[in-house]
Amino acid sequence: MYSILLSAGWPIWPLLIISIIGLAIVIERAWYLRQIHIFPKDSLEAVFGLANAVSQQKAVAESEINAIGQLSPAGALFACILREKVAGSLADAALEELQASAQTTWLKLDRYLGALATIATVAPLLGLFGTVVGMIEIFGSQGAINGGAGSPQQLAHGISVALYNTAFGLLIAIPALAAWRGLRAMANQRQHECEEFTRQLFKKLYSSHANPADKK
């Protein structure tokens, strides 16, 4: 592999750097967007159990609501509704706070996905840049300038730079694009699940009002 990198010339190093960044993003997002991470085991039971206590006007400590908010990324949504209900806020005011909290949660779910999409777009262009550099080495060699054929070694090096960079650009772009689409689908699924559980919790606490999803 090291010999291939040397044969590909200096244009391969930007591709190598973005491939490492892209791999790190894929691993981090795949871990973060797991369902067990967004909705830890027994977390929903704890949330709705606390909601029952709030509905029955039992005393609920602020620390209990804060614990719900720190359970997971989705916990902030549940804690927001519970906190507003305990504070005696009306449904419209609670919905406004919930929407602000939801925007923050969606940003957390979408984090780094834009960077991964950029890598999938830029990688073929960097590969094309390496190809151009290789062609310049071929046609810009001293022999070609003087009307000669140029040294075979220089021609071979130029061709290898061109082909290796093209191949590496595609090798990075194709998996990055596939990973972005898969992670985008996971983020959308987690968002849909958050919206559904939040709707159920809102309906439980504000049963006489419309669903929050209907007003978004």
Side-chain angles (χ1 to χ4, degrees):
M1 178 60 72
Y2 183 68
S3 61
I4 291 177
L5 293 176
L6 291 179
S7 300
W10 65 266
I12 200 69
W13 294 108
L15 283 169
L16 184 61
I17 292 171
I18 68 169
S19 70
I20 295 173
I21 295 173
L23 180 61
I25 292 174
V26 170
I27 294 174
E28 190 275 340
R29 286 291 88 187
W31 177 87
Y32 187 90
L33 293 172
R34 294 173 304 154
Q35 188 177 50
I36 193 65
H37 179 248
I38 306 300
F39 304 104
K41 186 178 180 181
D42 300 329
S43 62
L44 294 176
E45 289 80 356
V47 169
F48 283 93
L50 201 58
N52 285 330
V54 172
S55 299
Q56 296 169 10
Q57 298 183 345
K58 295 181 180 179
V60 175
E62 179 67 18
S63 59
E64 294 181 271
I65 297 178
N66 290 337
I68 292 294
Q70 296 173 1
L71 274 176
S72 70
L77 299 174
F78 305 142
C80 177
I81 301 176
L82 292 169
R83 190 174 291 111
E84 291 298 315
K85 182 63 177 179
V86 169
S89 301
L90 298 177
D92 290 339
L95 181 57
E96 185 176 347
E97 290 296 322
L98 175 60
Q99 288 174 336
S101 180
Q103 291 301 318
T104 302
T105 302
W106 305 158
L107 288 175
K108 291 180 180 179
L109 295 179
D110 293 341
R111 186 185 298 165
Y112 306 132
L113 292 183
L116 185 60
T118 301
I119 289 174
T121 303
V122 168
L125 298 179
L126 287 176
L128 179 61
F129 173 73
T131 301
V132 172
V133 170
M135 300 303 290
I136 290 174
E137 289 191 10
I138 294 174
F139 295 107
S141 63
Q142 189 64 34
I145 293 175
N146 296 331
S151 67
Q153 294 83 0
Q154 192 166 10
L155 290 175
H157 178 69
I159 293 173
S160 67
V161 169
L163 296 181
Y164 276 133
N165 279 276
T166 301
F168 267 86
L170 294 176
L171 188 63
I172 295 169
I174 294 172
L177 179 60
W180 175 79
R181 287 186 176 275
L183 293 171
R184 176 76 269 170
M186 287 182 65
N188 290 340
Q189 179 63 25
R190 297 293 90 82
Q191 179 176 339
H192 174 73
E193 292 167 355
C194 287
E195 289 175 345
E196 177 59 23
F197 291 130
T198 302
R199 182 191 68 81
Q200 294 177 18
L201 182 61
F202 192 93
K203 183 178 179 180
K204 182 178 184 63
L205 295 175
Y206 295 94
S207 57
S208 61
H209 299 273
N211 295 336
D214 298 334
K215 296 187 178 182
K216 289 185 178 179

